[in-house]
Amino acid sequence: MTRTEAAHRRIEVALGGHSYPVIIGAGARHELPGVVAGLGARRVAVVSARPLDEVPDPGVPSLVLRARDGEEDKTLAGVQEMCRAFARFGLTRTDAVISIGGGTTTDSVGLAAALYHRGVPVVHLPTSLLAQVDASVGGKTAVNLPEGKNLVGAYWQPKAVLCDTDYLRTLPPREWTNGYGEIARCHFIGAGDLRGLPVDEQIAASVALKASVVSADERDTGPRHTLNYGHTLGHALERATDFALRHGEAVAVGTVFAGRLAGALGRIGRARVAEHLEVVRAYRLPTALPADVDPAALVALMRLDKKAMRGLTFVLDGPNGVELVPDVPEGVVLDALAAMPRATP
């Protein structure tokens, strides 16, 4: 093991026969040839949203496909294009697919890998903070429909995730904000206070939390719902703003709202409600609803949420910790939305 490899943090997602490592640190992408060799793949298809000079050598013959990070490209048509390119390249079930990009890239490439030949190995190299702390880990893959976000997908665990923090150096400020939205919500679901820690420690703590939850509930039938803290309103805000509000920004607002809604339902006290606002502000994240969103439209979108088995459903803090709360009265939700501050137009 080299000195660089020794410095990398390694977190295991324990899932029995399909467990895998998440490797975090500067230069982690250079471990890709060893990962590919361990899979026994003779060739790989690399789908990258990063410049070609940032694509590591996988150590075997490869096809490189260009991708773009963005919700508008997370479509079934895009998945079909990838799968057709895999077929023309002659990719087999014993080969592998590599994703390099943000969360939208890992989502769509993961789904393509899950569907092609009914499943080929995939390795993720997430390049955004959002993807490194959340999107690339856990095996959820999906694309969007006009009717909603992530409505078509599959569970397909990667063989490894390489979180190279060197990729973060070129992120624009808004992409840092996007990632910190997911880190802020971790404060309320068991990661502890991550404010002020070095970014690699924040990533590692977020990944360790997600790994523990996924290991206990791979298919989202119970405790994995807690990872969606702040996401019910967050996803609705993304849709309502036509994705002008980024995912992490929307989750940050959704986290503040989750605290207010839990308070309105008598599940938590004023101090805990205030803590939601304090934590989100500490990461310099948005805390207010966009000026022009209609609360009724947001409620309609929240009813389409994947967790909404029984009426309006939210992941909320409470006396027994964070849990899924179904059948929240619409009037309480509308009142809590009306009490939220509005961003200046």
Side-chain angles (χ1 to χ4, degrees):
M1 180 179 290
T2 67
R3 182 179 303 176
T4 300
E5 290 170 334
H8 294 159
R9 298 170 184 268
R10 183 184 179 99
I11 296 166
E12 195 77 9
V13 182
L15 291 168
H18 52 290
S19 299
Y20 56 93
V22 181
I23 300 169
I24 303 163
R29 68 186 183 277
H30 298 303
E31 297 199 23
L32 180 61
V35 170
V36 171
L39 295 175
R42 296 174 303 164
R43 57 175 59 190
V44 299
V46 180
V47 185
S48 176
R50 299 288 289 204
L52 293 179
D53 61 358
E54 296 183 18
V55 176
D57 181 1
V60 296
S62 60
L63 167 72
V64 179
L65 303 174
R66 302 305 300 271
R68 293 189 305 173
D69 280 325
E71 295 289 345
E72 65 276 6
D73 291 309
K74 256 179 72 169
T75 65
L76 281 170
V79 169
Q80 176 178 293
E81 288 178 15
M82 281 187 270
C83 289
R84 293 188 67 186
F86 298 165
R88 290 193 295 268
F89 183 56
L91 202 72
T92 72
R93 191 178 293 173
T94 59
D95 296 321
V97 174
I98 314 296
S99 79
I100 305 176
T104 55
T105 297
T106 61
D107 268 11
S108 56
V109 175
L111 182 58
L115 297 177
Y116 183 72
H117 279 317
R118 298 188 180 91
V120 296
V122 64
V123 178
H124 295 313
L125 277 67
T127 62
S128 70
L129 182 59
L130 176 71
Q132 292 192 4
V133 301
D134 184 63
S136 63
V137 179
K140 279 189 175 181
T141 71
V143 294
N144 303 332
L145 296 177
E147 290 77 14
K149 182 180 165 85
N150 294 338
L151 291 184
V152 178
Y155 291 94
W156 189 244
Q157 299 293 344
K159 294 297 184 181
V161 179
L162 308 180
C163 297
D164 190 335
T165 52
D166 284 343
Y167 279 133
L168 305 180
R169 293 177 180 174
T170 58
L171 290 184
R174 198 172 178 196
E175 274 302 319
W176 283 94
T177 300
N178 201 25
Y180 276 124
E182 291 285 4
I183 292 174
R185 72 87 166 84
C186 285
H187 181 103
F188 300 100
I189 59 175
D193 194 345
L194 306 181
R195 289 173 288 181
L197 295 179
V199 69
D200 61 332
E201 293 183 27
Q202 292 174 324
I203 294 168
S206 301
V207 168
L209 171 66
K210 185 164 188 179
S212 68
V213 174
V214 170
S215 296
D217 179 20
E218 181 183 1
R219 297 280 173 153
D220 217 357
T221 59
R224 189 163 176 166
H225 292 316
T226 62
L227 297 174
N228 286 313
Y229 202 78
H231 283 60
T232 303
L233 177 60
H235 284 161
L237 286 171
E238 287 182 86
R239 292 284 316 286
T241 62
D242 198 21
F243 299 104
L245 203 62
R246 306 295 300 278
H247 177 73
E249 296 168 334
V251 168
V253 178
T255 297
V256 174
F257 177 75
R260 285 175 172 259
L261 184 59
L265 292 169
R267 295 177 55 84
I268 59 175
R270 291 183 180 178
R272 185 66 166 171
V273 173
E275 187 178 348
H276 283 70
L277 181 60
E278 174 190 334
V279 168
V280 172
R281 276 181 174 166
Y283 288 99
R284 299 183 180 179
L285 294 163
T287 61
L289 291 176
D292 55 351
V293 294
D294 176 24
L298 291 175
V299 167
L301 289 168
M302 287 189 283
R303 287 191 181 280
L304 299 174
D305 188 85
K306 297 187 297 298
K307 299 183 298 300
M309 304 282 190
R310 290 164 43 200
L312 287 165
T313 303
F314 295 84
V315 179
L316 297 175
D317 201 357
N320 299 316
V322 173
E323 60 187 354
L324 197 65
V325 181
D327 287 329
V328 178
E330 181 174 320
V332 177
V333 175
L334 285 169
D335 287 347
L337 286 170
M340 286 281 287
R342 294 278 182 155
T344 304

